[in-house]
Amino acid sequence: MLVGLLGLQGAFLDHIPHLKRCGVDAVIVRDIDAMEAIDRLIIPGGESTVMAKFLDEFGMRAPLLRRIDDGMPVWGVCAGAILLAEQVDDGHSGSLGVLPVAVRRNAYGRQIASDTQLIDIPVLGLRAYPGIFIRAPRIESLAEGVKVHALRGKDPVFVQHAHIMATTFHPELNRDDWFHRFFLDIESFRNTP
Ligand code: GLN
Protein backbone atom coordinates (compact mmCIF):
# COMPACT_ATOMS: atom_id res chain seq x y z
CA MET A 1 0.00 0.00 0.00
CA LEU A 2 1.26 3.46 -0.89
CA VAL A 3 0.34 6.27 1.49
CA GLY A 4 0.67 9.85 0.32
CA LEU A 5 1.66 12.73 2.56
CA LEU A 6 0.48 16.01 1.13
CA GLY A 7 3.76 17.87 1.12
CA LEU A 8 2.89 21.41 0.09
CA GLN A 9 3.42 22.86 3.57
CA GLY A 10 3.28 21.82 7.20
CA ALA A 11 4.16 18.83 9.35
CA PHE A 12 4.08 16.02 6.81
CA LEU A 13 7.52 14.53 7.62
CA ASP A 14 6.48 13.61 11.16
CA HIS A 15 4.21 10.90 9.76
CA ILE A 16 7.00 8.96 8.08
CA PRO A 17 8.35 7.03 11.11
CA HIS A 18 4.80 5.95 11.99
CA LEU A 19 4.08 4.69 8.49
CA LYS A 20 7.43 2.89 8.39
CA ARG A 21 6.64 1.07 11.61
CA CYS A 22 3.24 0.14 10.13
CA GLY A 23 5.09 -1.47 7.23
CA VAL A 24 3.66 0.66 4.44
CA ASP A 25 5.39 2.83 1.87
CA ALA A 26 5.06 6.58 2.11
CA VAL A 27 5.48 9.15 -0.62
CA ILE A 28 5.40 12.92 -0.42
CA VAL A 29 2.72 14.25 -2.75
CA ARG A 30 3.48 17.53 -4.45
CA ASP A 31 2.00 17.08 -7.91
CA ILE A 32 -0.88 15.49 -9.79
CA ASP A 33 1.10 12.43 -10.89
CA ALA A 34 1.94 11.51 -7.31
CA MET A 35 -1.68 12.16 -6.35
CA GLU A 36 -2.83 9.59 -8.90
CA ALA A 37 -0.37 6.92 -7.71
CA ILE A 38 -1.34 6.73 -4.03
CA ASP A 39 -3.86 4.52 -2.22
CA ARG A 40 -4.64 6.95 0.59
CA LEU A 41 -3.62 10.42 1.70
CA ILE A 42 -2.72 12.22 4.90
CA ILE A 43 -3.24 15.98 4.85
CA PRO A 44 -0.94 17.23 7.60
CA GLY A 45 -1.14 19.99 10.15
CA GLY A 46 0.27 23.34 9.19
CA GLU A 47 -1.41 26.44 7.92
CA SER A 48 -4.68 25.74 6.15
CA THR A 49 -4.79 29.02 4.23
CA VAL A 50 -1.33 28.40 2.75
CA MET A 51 -2.06 24.77 1.91
CA ALA A 52 -5.36 25.75 0.27
CA LYS A 53 -3.56 28.36 -1.83
CA PHE A 54 -0.91 25.86 -2.98
CA LEU A 55 -3.55 23.21 -3.78
CA ASP A 56 -5.13 25.72 -6.15
CA GLU A 57 -1.89 27.10 -7.57
CA PHE A 58 -0.51 23.65 -8.37
CA GLY A 59 -3.82 22.56 -9.90
CA MET A 60 -4.15 19.76 -7.34
CA ARG A 61 -7.50 20.57 -5.76
CA ALA A 62 -9.74 19.10 -8.48
CA PRO A 63 -7.67 15.90 -8.91
CA LEU A 64 -7.67 15.40 -5.14
CA LEU A 65 -11.43 15.91 -4.95
CA ARG A 66 -11.85 13.37 -7.73
CA ARG A 67 -9.77 10.82 -5.81
CA ILE A 68 -11.78 11.41 -2.64
CA ASP A 69 -15.04 11.09 -4.60
CA ASP A 70 -13.74 7.82 -5.98
CA GLY A 71 -13.36 6.56 -2.42
CA MET A 72 -9.71 7.16 -1.54
CA PRO A 73 -9.36 7.24 2.26
CA VAL A 74 -8.07 10.57 3.54
CA TRP A 75 -7.03 11.78 7.00
CA GLY A 76 -6.85 15.49 7.80
CA VAL A 77 -4.80 16.53 10.83
CA CYS A 78 -5.62 19.93 12.30
CA ALA A 79 -5.14 22.25 9.29
CA GLY A 80 -5.92 19.18 7.17
CA ALA A 81 -9.23 18.85 9.00
CA ILE A 82 -9.96 22.50 8.16
CA LEU A 83 -9.35 21.82 4.45
CA LEU A 84 -11.73 18.86 4.57
CA ALA A 85 -14.53 20.68 6.44
CA GLU A 86 -17.67 21.76 4.69
CA GLN A 87 -17.84 24.96 6.71
CA VAL A 88 -15.08 27.11 8.19
CA ASP A 89 -15.55 30.16 10.40
CA ASP A 90 -19.21 30.95 9.76
CA GLY A 91 -20.18 30.15 6.26
CA HIS A 92 -16.93 29.91 4.30
CA SER A 93 -16.46 26.53 2.73
CA GLY A 94 -13.31 24.54 3.33
CA SER A 95 -10.96 24.18 0.38
CA LEU A 96 -12.09 20.57 -0.17
CA GLY A 97 -15.42 20.69 1.69
CA VAL A 98 -15.97 16.93 1.77
CA LEU A 99 -16.46 16.37 5.52
CA PRO A 100 -19.89 17.51 6.75
CA VAL A 101 -18.71 19.42 9.81
CA ALA A 102 -18.40 23.10 10.71
CA VAL A 103 -15.11 24.21 12.25
CA ARG A 104 -13.78 27.39 13.81
CA ARG A 105 -10.09 28.04 13.31
CA ASN A 106 -7.78 28.74 16.25
CA ALA A 107 -10.73 28.33 18.60
CA TYR A 108 -8.63 27.17 21.56
CA GLY A 109 -6.31 30.16 21.43
CA ARG A 110 -3.22 30.90 19.37
CA GLN A 111 0.25 29.32 19.45
CA ILE A 112 0.97 30.21 23.05
CA ALA A 113 -2.22 28.46 24.14
CA SER A 114 -1.35 25.15 22.50
CA ASP A 115 -1.60 22.32 24.96
CA THR A 116 -1.83 18.63 25.67
CA GLN A 117 -5.20 17.28 26.76
CA LEU A 118 -5.91 13.79 28.01
CA ILE A 119 -8.67 12.27 25.94
CA ASP A 120 -10.44 8.93 25.90
CA ILE A 121 -10.62 7.14 22.57
CA PRO A 122 -12.92 4.13 22.98
CA VAL A 123 -12.59 3.00 19.35
CA LEU A 124 -8.85 2.48 19.99
CA GLY A 125 -9.35 1.19 23.53
CA LEU A 126 -7.37 4.15 24.90
CA ARG A 127 -7.97 6.15 28.04
CA ALA A 128 -6.28 9.45 28.87
CA TYR A 129 -4.41 9.62 25.58
CA PRO A 130 -2.24 12.76 25.42
CA GLY A 131 -3.68 14.69 22.48
CA ILE A 132 -1.41 17.53 21.37
CA PHE A 133 -3.41 20.57 20.21
CA ILE A 134 -1.59 23.32 18.32
CA ARG A 135 -3.71 26.29 17.29
CA ALA A 136 -6.40 23.70 16.75
CA PRO A 137 -9.78 24.24 15.16
CA ARG A 138 -12.92 23.45 17.12
CA ILE A 139 -15.52 21.23 15.47
CA GLU A 140 -18.66 23.20 16.28
CA SER A 141 -21.29 21.08 14.59
CA LEU A 142 -21.56 17.98 12.48
CA ALA A 143 -24.06 16.29 10.22
CA GLU A 144 -25.86 13.10 11.06
CA GLY A 145 -23.73 10.15 10.09
CA VAL A 146 -20.42 11.67 11.18
CA LYS A 147 -18.95 9.33 13.80
CA VAL A 148 -17.37 10.97 16.83
CA HIS A 149 -14.50 8.80 18.09
CA ALA A 150 -13.20 11.20 20.76
CA LEU A 151 -14.18 14.35 22.62
CA ARG A 152 -12.26 17.14 24.32
CA GLY A 153 -14.84 18.21 26.88
CA LYS A 154 -17.89 18.50 24.66
CA ASP A 155 -16.01 19.10 21.42
CA PRO A 156 -15.48 16.31 18.89
CA VAL A 157 -11.74 16.04 18.16
CA PHE A 158 -11.55 12.77 16.22
CA VAL A 159 -14.30 12.15 13.67
CA GLN A 160 -14.94 9.93 10.71
CA HIS A 161 -17.42 10.02 7.86
CA ALA A 162 -17.11 6.93 5.67
CA HIS A 163 -13.54 7.07 4.28
CA ILE A 164 -12.82 10.58 5.56
CA MET A 165 -11.15 10.92 8.95
CA ALA A 166 -10.10 14.02 10.85
CA THR A 167 -8.28 14.76 14.09
CA THR A 168 -8.00 18.31 15.38
CA PHE A 169 -4.93 17.29 17.40
CA HIS A 170 -1.59 15.86 16.24
CA PRO A 171 -1.14 12.10 16.85
CA GLU A 172 1.99 12.15 14.67
CA LEU A 173 3.77 14.02 17.47
CA ASN A 174 3.32 11.06 19.81
CA ARG A 175 5.44 7.95 19.52
CA ASP A 176 2.64 5.44 19.14
CA ASP A 177 1.02 4.32 15.89
CA TRP A 178 -2.60 3.88 16.97
CA PHE A 179 -4.04 6.50 14.68
CA HIS A 180 -1.95 5.52 11.68
CA ARG A 181 -3.01 1.90 12.06
CA PHE A 182 -6.65 2.95 12.38
CA PHE A 183 -6.36 5.08 9.24
CA LEU A 184 -4.70 2.26 7.29
CA ASP A 185 -7.69 0.03 8.10
CA ILE A 186 -10.32 2.48 6.82
CA GLU A 187 -12.01 1.06 3.76
CA SER A 188 -12.31 2.84 0.49
CA PHE A 189 -15.84 4.12 -0.03
CA ARG A 190 -17.28 5.16 -3.33
CA ASN A 191 -20.37 7.39 -3.38
CA THR A 192 -21.60 6.35 -6.78
CA PRO A 193 -21.23 2.85 -8.22
N1 GLN B 1 -4.25 27.20 12.96
C1 GLN B 1 -3.92 26.47 11.78
C2 GLN B 1 -4.89 26.79 10.65
O1 GLN B 1 -5.83 27.46 10.85
C3 GLN B 1 -3.93 24.97 12.05
C4 GLN B 1 -2.82 24.61 12.99
C5 GLN B 1 -2.30 23.23 12.85
O2 GLN B 1 -2.47 22.56 11.85
N2 GLN B 1 -1.59 22.79 13.86
O3 GLN B 1 -4.67 26.38 9.57
Side-chain angles (χ1 to χ4, degrees), residues 109-128:
R110 302 203 74 86
Q111 191 77 48
I112 199 137
S114 298
D115 60 352
T116 301
Q117 293 279 325
L118 301 180
I119 50 186
D120 293 339
I121 307 165
V123 74
L124 298 176
L126 298 172
R127 290 186 64 92

Side-chain angles (χ1 to χ4, degrees), residues 27-130:
V27 64
I28 293 166
V29 173
R30 292 199 169 109
D31 57 36
I32 299 174
D33 286 348
M35 182 78 79
E36 298 305 336
I38 54 175
D39 300 303
R40 48 191 76 209
L41 180 71
I42 297 175
I43 306 179
E47 183 52 49
S48 56
T49 50
V50 177
M51 256 188 273
K53 181 166 168 268
F54 286 157
L55 271 179
D56 279 327
E57 276 177 16
F58 299 158
M60 291 170 70
R61 196 161 69 90
L64 173 52
L65 279 172
R66 211 171 309 123
R67 293 290 328 263
I68 297 173
D69 265 3
D70 278 350
M72 178 179 73
V74 57
W75 171 16
V77 178
C78 198
I82 296 169
L83 295 186
L84 292 172
E86 264 182 12
Q87 273 197 49
V88 181
D89 293 353
D90 296 323
H92 303 275
S93 65
S95 158
L96 298 165
V98 291
L99 179 64
V101 302
V103 302
R104 181 166 305 278
R105 296 178 60 210
N106 301 311
Y108 300 99
R110 302 203 74 86
Q111 191 77 48
I112 199 137
S114 298
D115 60 352
T116 301
Q117 293 279 325
L118 301 180
I119 50 186
D120 293 339
I121 307 165
V123 74
L124 298 176
L126 298 172
R127 290 186 64 92
Y129 180 87

